[in-house]
C-alpha cells in the first residue's frame, strides 16, 4: 500500500459504507433508483455541552460532489465481489449504470462559518434516491469532523478573549487529513495560524513555529542554541525556555535578546511548554519587563483547551499567545459530533413530496419529515430565533409559532414585523451543476466571526449556556405528530 | 481547494510542523544539518487505562520515507515566505539543499501487530539531524493514530470473546483517512471486516453491510422493503428490524426469511440498532429459534465499545455479531495516544554516541538517553519482561536487573537461561534503502493475535490490568541518572 501513490489518487466514490452500495443495487433492482428523494444532514446536540455549533466542511463536500464518479479501479473492485455460490454480487448492468451515472442532485446548504443548531438541516440533498444514498457516508464524514473542530476552535478563541490562538495539532491528529481538515476548520473557527505547513500551502492559512526542545538538546548549552537560532531568524525569535530549567531559560533568552537588539532586531518572546503556566508566565512577564522587553510575548502550550485557558485567565496568567494541539484537533472531550443523514421525503408519482419518518423510543431520535427550509429571524443584528418550516411556507406572515422538536411545551411566538429574515439553506447545486461561488477561507473565517457576534454571550459561554430558540413551524410540527401516530398505528401499537 | 485533485497528489514532505523547517534551516545555517543523531518514538502511558498497546502504522511510515522528497510546489511555497523586512525567510541555497536531499536515515522499528509498552522505542530513526527532525511530525501523526486504534480494536475484540466485530465508523471518523487508517488499524487489532469500501479496496480488508433505516422508509411497508432487499441479495439478508417497532420488525424478518427459505436461501440474521440491546437480543433469539431459524444471527450496534459489550455479555445478551463505529474509530474515551519523538543521542566527532536528555519537573517526562534497543524475554511462549538497553549490550549475559524508568524501587531480576529473547526493533531502512519485507495485512493481523496470546489475560483485562514489567538495564539506568544530575548542576540547581 502506498499512501502517497494509491490512497488518494483514484476517485473517492468508494469512500462510502458498503451498505450504501448494496442498497443502491437493490434500489436499482427494484426500480426505485431514480425516484426523487430528499435527505437532510443534521445533528441532535451541540457538542461540548455548548450553546451553538459552527458549520464547516462545505468546500470539501462541493469538491466531492463535483468529482463524484466511479473509475475503472472502483468498478473492477466491485466486479470481483462474489456471492456465497461464487456468482458476482453485482450484475454487470448495474456496474454499467454506476459507470454512466452523472451526479444530478440539488444541494442546499448552510454556508461555512454559519452558526447552526440541533435538528436544523445543515445540508439538504435532493435527487435520485440512489445518488442521495451513496452520498450519505462521505458527506457525514466531512461535515461531522470539520463542524466539530470549527466549533471547538471558536470556543477556545472565545476563552482566549482576543489573544492569538495557534493550532499545532498535526502530530496528535487522527490521520493525515484528520490533521489537514482540522487545521482548516480551526482557522475558520478563529485560530490565527497553524503549524501544519501542508495545510498552509493547500488552504492559504498562515503558518507559524520556531523551535523544539530537540533544538536546545542538539547544542552543548542552551545559550549556544538560542544564539544559533537567532543567527538564522534574527527577526522571529520565540525562545523555548523550559528544556532544563524555566527561570534559567528565561535568563538565557533575555541575554540573547539583548545581543539581538544590538544588531537592530527585537526578540518576539519566550515559550513555556510545561510546569505551572500561571506561575511561570508571571515570572517570565516580570523578568522580561524588568530587562527592558515589555513587548516580548509570553507564549504558552501544554495540553491546553478552553477550560484551562479560562482557568489561567482567572488566575491572571500573563500569557499573550496560546498554542493548542491535541485537545483542539481531536476535539478531545467529545471527538465526534454525531450528525446523521435522514430520508425526509420521496416524491410521489403526482409530483408531491410524501413525508417520511423513522420512529424511535427516544423522542430526540424521531426525524423531521418533509422538504424543509430554515429561516433565521433577527433584529438590529441580534438573532431572535430559527424556524424550521416546509419549503414554500409563506415566511412573510406577521406571526409564527415555533415549537421545540423535543419538548412541545417549549413554544415561541415570532412577530416578523421589523425583523430581518435569512434563509439559511442556500442553493449550491442544481441538477448536478454548481451554482454557488465558493468564498475564500478568509471570507469564511470573517463570516464565522460576524455570525458569532450576532449571538449573545449567554449562548457562547463555556458552561451551562442559554438555549437559543429553534423550533418547528406549527403546521410542520402537526404534520410530524400526525405521521408518528399514523406509523405507530400502522404497526399496531 | 480540491480534495480530490490537490490534497494528496503532490508530495507529503510539507506534512510537518513549520518549526521542523525553521530548525532545519537553522541546523543548516549553523553547520549541524548532517551531524548524526538518533531519535526515539515512544509513548508514556498505555491508552484507555489498559495494560498494553498494539503497534500499528509502520507500513504508512515506510511509504512516507520512501517518497520523502520536496517537489517543485513545496519549494515554491517555501520560496515565497518572507521575513518582516520583505526578504525571503529561507536562503535559496537552503532550498536547493532540500531539493537535492535524498532520504538517507536508518530506521529500526517494532513490527506492526507487536504488543508494546510505555517508554520503549517503537521507532528509532538514525541519520542526519536535519532529516530526523523533519520526520518527527509525520511519523508521530501516523503512529500515534494507528497504534491507538489497533489497541482500541483489540480491546473490543477481547470483550467480544470470539464473536465477530465489524468496524463501521467511516461517517464519524476524523477526516477521510481518519477513517481509512482507522479501518486498517481496526482490522489489525482483530476486527473481521469494515463497512468502508475504499478501505476494503486499498487495504484488502473484507467489507460488510446490508441496509439502513432509509431503505425501509423508502418503501410503503417494512415487509415490502425486506422483500425487495431479499430479491436483490437472497443469500445475504441481515434485516434491520428497528425502524418502526423492533418486535414487529423481527416478525416481518421471519416472514420474509420463510419466503427466502422456499427459494433455497437462508436469512443471515437481524440487526438491532437502538433500544435495550440486552432485552431485544433475547427477544430476537427466542423468536428466531421458535420460528425455526436457530442459525440466524443477531447483530447489534448503537454506540458500543468494549465496556458496553462486556456489560451486555454479563447480562446474557444473545448477540452474535457486534457493529462498532464512533467509539472505535475515534477512540472516543481517549482520542490521542500522546506518543512523542525525542532526541536520544548525537554522534560526536570521534564517532561515539553522546547521550542527550531533557529535564522535566515530571519524572515521567524525562527521556531515556542513548542509542537503544529493546529485548523481550519469554519462556514457553509466555512473555516475562522487556528490557530497554543500549545498542551493543551483551544480551546473552546470565542475569539482568531491569529498573522501572519512573519508579526506581520497582526492579526485576531476569535469569536468561532457558529463555527466548526477541530483539524488538528490527532493521527497516539502512542508509535510506529499505531492507525490510513488508508483510501483508493478514499476516500483521495474525501477528497481533499471536502476540496478544503470549500475554496473560491479567495484562489484557479492561479495568485495572496487571502491569507488565518493562525496565532499563542497570547501566542504562545509571547513565540516565548521572546525566540528569549533570544537567541539573549545569543549570545551577
Amino acid at each position: 500500500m502506498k499512501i502517497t501513490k494509491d490512497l488518494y489518487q483514484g476517485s473517492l466514490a468508494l469512500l462510502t459504507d458498503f451498505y450504501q452500495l448494496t442498497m443502491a443495487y437493490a434500489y436499482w433492482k427494484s426500480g426505485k433508483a431514480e425516484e426523487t428523494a430528499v435527505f437532510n444532514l443534521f445533528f441532535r446536540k451541540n457538542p461540548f455541552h455548548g450553546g451553538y455549533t459552527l458549520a464547516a466542511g462545505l468546500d470539501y463536500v462541493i469538491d466531492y460532489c463535483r468529482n463524484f464518479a466511479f473509475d475503472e479501479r472502483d468498478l473492477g473492485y466491485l466486479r470481483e465481489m462474489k456471492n456465497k455460490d461464487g456468482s458476482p454480487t453485482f450484475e454487470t448492468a448495474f456496474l454499467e449504470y454506476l459507470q454512466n451515472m452523472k451526479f444530478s442532485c440539488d444541494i442546499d446548504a448552510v454556508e461555512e462559518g454559519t452558526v447552526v443548531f440541533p435538528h436544523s438541516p445543515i445540508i439538504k440533498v435532493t435527487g435520485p434516491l440512489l445518488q442521495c444514498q451513496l452520498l450519505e457516508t462521505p458527506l457525514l464524514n466531512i461535515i461531522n469532523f470539520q463542524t466539530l473542530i470549527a466549533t471547538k476552535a471558536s470556543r477556545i478563541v472565545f476563552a482566549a478573549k482576543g489573544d492569538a490562538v495557534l493550532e499545532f495539532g498535526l502530530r496528535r491528529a487522527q490521520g493525515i487529513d484528520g490533521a489537514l481538515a482540522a487545521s482548516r476548520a480551526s482557522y475558520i473557527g478563529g485560530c490565527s495560524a497553524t503549524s501544519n505547513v501542508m495545510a498552509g500551502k493547500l488552504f492559504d492559512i498562515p503558518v507559524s513555529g520556531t523551535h523544539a526542545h530537540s533544538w536546545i538538546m542538539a547544542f552543548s548549552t542552551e545559550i549556544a542554541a538560542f544564539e544559533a537560532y537567532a543567527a538564522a531568524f534574527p527577526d522571529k525569535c520565540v525562545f523555548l525556555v523550559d528544556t532544563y530549567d524555566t527561570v534559567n531559560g528565561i535568563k538565557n533568552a533575555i541575554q540573547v535578546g539583548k545581543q539581538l537588539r544590538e544588531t537592530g532586531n527585537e526578540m518576539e518572546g519566550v515559550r513555556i511548554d510545561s510546569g505551572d503556566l500561571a506561575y511561570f508566565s508571571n515570572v517570565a512577564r516580570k523578568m522580561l519587563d524588568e530587562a527592558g522587553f515589555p513587548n516580548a510575548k509570553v507564549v504558552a502550550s501544554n495540553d491546553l483547551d478552553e477550560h484551562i485557558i479560562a482557568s489561567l485567565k482567572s488566575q491572571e496568567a500573563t500569557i499573550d499567545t496560546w498554542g493548542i494541539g491535541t485537545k483542539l484537533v481531536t476535539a478531545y472531550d467529545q471527538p465526534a459530533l454525531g450528525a446523521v443523514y435522514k430520508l425526509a421525503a420521496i416524491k410521489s408519482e403526482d409530483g408531491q413530496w410524501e413525508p417520511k419518518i423513522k420512529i424511535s423510543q427516544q423522542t430526540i431520535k424521531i426525524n423531521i419529515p418533509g422538504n424543509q427550509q430554515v429561516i433565521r429571524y433577527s433584529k438590529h443584528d441580534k438573532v431572535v430565533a430559527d424556524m424550521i418550516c416546509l419549503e414554500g411556507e409563506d415566511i412573510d406572515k406577521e406571526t409564527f409559532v415555533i415549537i421545540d422538536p423535543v419538548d412541545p411545551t417549549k413554544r415561541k411566538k415570532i412577530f416578523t414585523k421589523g425583523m430581518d429574515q435569512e434563509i439559511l439553506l442556500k442553493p449550491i447545486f442544481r441538477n448536478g451543476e454548481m451554482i454557488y461561488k465558493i468564498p475564500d477561507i478568509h471570507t469564511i473565517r470573517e463570516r464565522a466571526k460576524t455570525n458569532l457576534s450576532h449571538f449573545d454571550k449567554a449562548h457562547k459561554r463555556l458552561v451551562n449556556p442559554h438555549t437559543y430558540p429553534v423550533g418547528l413551524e406549527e403546521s410542520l410540527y402537526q404534520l410530524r405528530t400526525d405521521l408518528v401516530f399514523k406509523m405507530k398505528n400502522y404497526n399496531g401499537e
Side-chain angles (χ1 to χ4, degrees), chain A residues 83-95:
Chain A
N83 292 324
K84 284 173 195 147
D85 65 3
S87 62
T89 301
F90 301 109
E91 287 175 30
T92 306
F94 171 69
L95 298 177

Side-chain angles (χ1 to χ4, degrees), chain A residues 200-213:
Chain A
K201 180 183 79 163
L202 291 174
F203 306 125
D204 188 26
I205 305 173
V207 298
S208 83
T210 51
H211 68 82
H213 295 118

Side-chain angles (χ1 to χ4, degrees), chain A residues 299-321:
Chain A
V299 184
S301 51
N302 192 16
D303 269 349
L304 302 175
D305 66 9
E306 66 271 42
H307 300 292
I308 298 175
I309 293 175
S311 163
L312 285 166
K313 287 264 177 198
S314 78
Q315 295 168 67
E316 298 179 332
T318 42
I319 294 166
D320 305 292
T321 303

Side-chain angles (χ1 to χ4, degrees), chain A residues 153 182-193 204-206 441-442 445:
Chain A
S183 297
R184 179 177 187 275
S186 296
Y187 185 69
I188 290 173
C191 287
S192 303
D204 188 26
I205 305 173
I441 195 163
H442 312 292
R445 185 170 183 268

Side-chain angles (χ1 to χ4, degrees), chain A residues 211 226-227 229-230 237-241 253 256-257 260 267 269-271:
Chain A
H211 68 82
F226 287 168
E227 286 175 345
Y229 194 82
C237 283
V238 178
F239 296 120
L240 179 59
V241 292
V256 179
L260 268 172
M267 132 170 102
V270 298
R271 178 160 76 95

